Amino acid sequence: MREIVVLSGKGGAGKTSITAAFAALARNAIVCDLDVDAPDLHILLSPKDTAAEEFVSGNLAQVEASDCDGCGVCREICRFEAVSVGEDGKAVIDPHRCEGCKACVALCPRRAIAFPPRVCGYFAVSASRFGPFVHARLDPGGENSGRLVALLKRRARELAEKAGHELIVCDGAPGIACPVISALSGASLAVLVVEPTPSGTHDFARVAKLCDHFKLPTGVIVNKADLNPEETARLEALCRQAGRPVLGRLPYSPDVTRAMKAKVTLPEYGGPLAGDIARLWEATNALAQTCAKAK
Amino acid sequence: MRIAIASGKGGTGKTTVSAALASVWTEAVSRPVLAADLDVEEPNLHLFLRPVITEAHVANLEIPVIDAAACTRCGACREICQFGAVTILGDTPLVFDDMCHGCGACLAVCPVAAMSPGAREVGRVEEGAAGSIAFVNGRLRVGEAMSPVLIRAVTARVNGKLAALPESERPDVLLDAPPGVSCPAQNAVATADVIVLVVEPTPFGIHDFALAVEAFAPLGKPLTVVVNKAGEASPELDALCRRENLPVLAAIPDDRAIAEGYARGRLLPEMSPACRALCLDLARQLAALRPEARHA
């Protein structure tokens, strides 16, 4: 079983368009959108027959106003600045700031704080024209995105085992923190999409370092390579020095947005990019096979 | 005043707009400015403003250290921990440092005070200046999962800098927010007087913009829009802005020359006289939304 996660560190580098193209080219793959904060892959995959479930994770502290005497212990103990004092002098907990740590619940002298389970979003399995599609959505201000990502990956692997899929292709989240660390775990290969801009180069270095930290093999795609050819050459040289395989380049092209507007993937849209992306997929799949064998 | 520059999606041009505003702010509205980068996972503002960093502080999370000799293995800490960070393996009490959220619940419930506060570095807070622009940012340690801790530290540093100045000298603050609508983004915009949402008129951009509007509109703050990479008309985006009553303060054209300038680290106002005029005008429109002006 091979699991490919597409990452970039930076938003807007082209992760989702590339993941969708790979999904179209890979036969018999499970497709997974791990960007649970702002999922976009469904826009290109038009999922059907969606079976969604609530995502319940952790708990939320809630003050029972009738029992609260405004003693202030909870406000003192809370390290997340989640407790304020309401107009009636009683404690109020901001659900966006509460991390569900239970400290206030345990220490409230009047036992006035309830701790109900928290619904943070939903996760779903759908059918798409490229195979099963696993996706989710975290509620705005939601917590535990890392846990939701882990749940999606587990679901994708179960599906793959059950239905005999050899490959899972995942669209990762931007950044380098909790959801990204979750997305990396257990993958065979991280495909790092980088654009040759100051932000792109900087963020790529950080996400590459994160992959190295977790000893995950990487392959690099330079997107919008012709925006800054010198920087592209410099990036590719740096990768070669570090022994990081360069999978290839894609040019800056309005076709990416045009395909998106037509709600199709690049291979389906055609044009010059279709050939580029097909070559990138060949290289990526071959590298993932090598990495999966080496595991 | 505080202005948060946010977006539902990464890569729409938050940092481009933040850097552009910071660079023309004082000229446009005759007030000092402080630029703070709250995108601690991928801080990029410094790449465009190029500040001289004069101070850096390590931001730590307080995590527990167990004194195994004093510990009675009662399990109270293991029971209270909601994050699976404290356990007892065989006869050894253990803390998994990386799992700890630093909530202090275990320290508070230990009946024999066998736990004391230790530290885990989550990242660094850096400050300095780019010419007359005061600058603060945070850099999350690679491998660290908990960005909100560092965002709080950066915000505290910004507040500290402002508190140290007499009211008449306090700069306006531009916050480059983390992308998306998760906790970190929500917390960043919650402290602002005005929110600017940067959107690119593509299907992904508009979809994530709608999520951001849904998340930020309930905060009851003035919500404004800057369209980046504006090309052909986007009826869907126009309709959404009309329906939600969101003023579009500026539209940055979808122009390869701008994309190439950005790829070389140039600031938007430096790219052309038209870009410069657009940035000055945007700064003035935002300054007009300052709370005291609104209530006047």
Side-chain angles (χ1 to χ4, degrees):
Chain A
M1 171 115 69
R2 311 187 296 289
E3 188 178 304
I4 299 170
V5 179
V6 182
L7 294 172
S8 73
K10 184 182 177 301
K15 275 187 303 290
T16 303
S17 291
I18 289 173
T19 307
F22 284 0
L25 295 163
R27 293 194 178 77
N28 206 18
I30 302 232
V31 191
C32 202
D33 191 347
L34 300 178
D35 186 354
V36 298
D37 185 34
D40 285 328
L41 198 52
H42 63 279
I43 295 172
L44 298 179
L45 297 191
S46 315
K48 289 194 253 318
D49 309 325
T50 299
E53 289 174 55
E54 271 188 347
F55 170 59
V56 177
S57 179
N59 301 66
L60 180 65
Q62 274 179 345
V63 177
E64 306 282 358
S66 55
D67 298 333
C68 171
D69 63 1
C71 74
V73 167
C74 54
R75 194 161 163 225
E76 218 161 294
I77 189 84
C78 178
R79 303 225 174 153
F80 308 105
E81 297 162 17
V83 187
S84 56
V85 182
E87 281 173 16
D88 53 3
K90 298 186 177 200
V92 182
I93 295 176
D94 176 354
H96 289 313
R97 290 181 175 261
C98 171
E99 294 216 10
C101 76
K102 211 178 175 178
C104 61
V105 177
L107 296 171
C108 172
R110 310 242 359 211
R111 310 221 149 213
I113 305 177
F115 202 49
R118 187 195 312 224
V119 176
C120 304
Y122 69 83
F123 64 99
V125 179
S126 305
S128 82
R129 61 190 182 283
F130 309 123
F133 175 45
V134 185
H135 52 119
R137 160 88 200 276
L138 200 65
D139 290 337
E143 253 287 356
N144 283 330
S145 48
R147 221 179 275 182
L148 182 52
V149 167
L151 183 78
L152 286 182
K153 284 178 61 120
R154 205 166 50 233
R155 188 51 59 97
R157 285 174 194 158
E158 284 164 6
L159 269 177
E161 303 252 320
K162 214 164 60 189
H165 295 267
E166 279 299 293
L167 180 66
I168 301 173
V169 179
C170 304
D171 189 4
I176 57 164
C178 179
V180 181
I181 292 171
S182 240
L184 294 180
S185 100
S188 337
L189 172 70
V191 172
L192 307 181
V193 181
V194 54
E195 44 177 68
T197 66
S199 304
T201 312
H202 176 264
D203 297 352
F204 161 75
R206 283 168 69 81
V207 80
K209 190 172 162 190
L210 184 74
C211 293
D212 295 348
H213 179 87
F214 290 108
K215 300 190 172 55
L216 176 65
T218 53
V220 178
I221 294 175
V222 185
N223 192 13
K224 312 175 198 174
D226 52 326
L227 276 186
N228 189 342
E230 303 82 27
E231 185 62 22
T232 295
R234 200 185 67 89
L235 266 168
E236 289 177 346
L238 277 177
C239 289
R240 275 189 277 274
Q241 272 165 17
R244 231 181 266 291
V246 177
L247 298 161
R249 302 176 175 184
L250 285 173
Y252 176 82
S253 164
D255 280 1
V256 177
T257 304
R258 288 184 193 130
M260 205 190 285
K261 283 185 173 157
K263 297 198 163 72
V264 295
T265 61
L266 289 167
E268 292 167 299
Y269 187 79
L273 284 183
D276 293 334
I277 203 93
R279 279 187 292 279
L280 283 175
W281 170 243
E282 293 294 314
T284 302
N285 198 27
L287 182 59
Q289 270 166 338
T290 312
C291 295
K293 281 199 191 96
K295 249 182 150 178
Chain B
M1 74 184 299
R2 271 177 206 239
I3 299 167
I5 294 99
S7 76
K9 181 179 180 301
T12 59
K14 261 187 330 310
T15 300
T16 301
V17 171
S18 303
L21 279 173
S23 66
V24 301
W25 191 262
T26 302
E27 181 191 345
V29 307
S30 313
R31 285 185 50 83
V33 65
L34 183 155
D37 192 346
L38 297 181
D39 187 357
V40 300
E41 290 182 53
E42 305 295 6
N44 290 141
L45 193 56
H46 65 286
L47 300 169
F48 294 87
L49 293 179
R50 302 192 183 97
V52 176
I53 299 296
T54 48
E55 277 184 67
H57 302 279
V58 171
N60 285 322
L61 181 69
E62 190 178 281
I63 61 170
V65 177
I66 303 176
D67 175 353
C71 169
T72 61
R73 317 297 191 262
C74 76
C77 54
R78 181 178 53 191
E79 200 172 320
I80 187 95
C81 182
Q82 299 296 299
F83 311 109
V86 194
T87 189
I88 301 169
L89 273 184
D91 186 49
T92 312
L94 266 185
V95 177
F96 298 118
D97 290 2
D98 284 344
M99 314 270 281
C100 173
H101 285 224
C103 72
C106 56
L107 282 113
V109 300
C110 177
V112 293
M115 294 184 127
S116 56
R120 172 176 99 219
E121 181 183 332
V122 291
R124 283 167 189 262
V125 179
E126 299 174 333
E127 55 186 290
S132 63
I133 306 164
F135 179 87
V136 183
N137 78 352
R139 302 176 69 81
L140 192 73
R141 177 178 59 83
V142 173
E144 171 60 53
M146 287 157 212
S147 58
V149 183
L150 186 56
I151 294 174
R152 277 195 290 273
V154 176
T155 309
R157 192 59 215 122
V158 170
N159 295 345
K161 278 175 92 86
L162 264 71
L165 291 167
E167 190 136 357
S168 60
E169 289 171 34
R170 280 179 202 165
D172 289 327
V173 178
L174 299 169
L175 301 169
D176 190 356
V181 293
S182 63
C183 276
Q186 197 100 359
N187 291 344
V189 300
T191 63
D193 302 308
V194 175
I195 302 167
V196 178
L197 279 174
V198 184
V199 56
E200 51 176 74
T202 64
F204 291 177
I206 295 167
H207 173 264
D208 296 351
F209 171 75
L211 297 183
V213 171
E214 182 193 336
F216 299 151
L219 297 171
K221 299 172 185 286
L223 201 52
T224 63
V225 180
V226 170
V227 183
N228 189 18
K229 303 176 206 171
E232 305 152 29
S234 169
E236 199 185 342
L237 181 61
D238 297 346
L240 184 63
C241 291
R242 253 200 318 277
R243 193 178 64 233
E244 299 287 339
N245 230 336
L246 306 171
V248 178
L249 302 185
I252 302 163
D254 182 18
D255 177 347
R256 190 179 169 114
I258 294 179
E260 286 182 5
Y262 163 78
R264 287 182 162 62
R266 291 175 60 199
L267 290 162
L268 187 61
E270 292 166 8
M271 290 189 204
S272 72
C275 286
R276 187 172 178 77
L278 179 145
C279 296
L280 285 164
D281 178 56
L282 175 61
R284 291 184 186 121
Q285 290 189 72
L286 286 167
L289 295 172
R290 77 179 55 248
E292 48 273 36
R294 286 208 308 273
H295 299 311

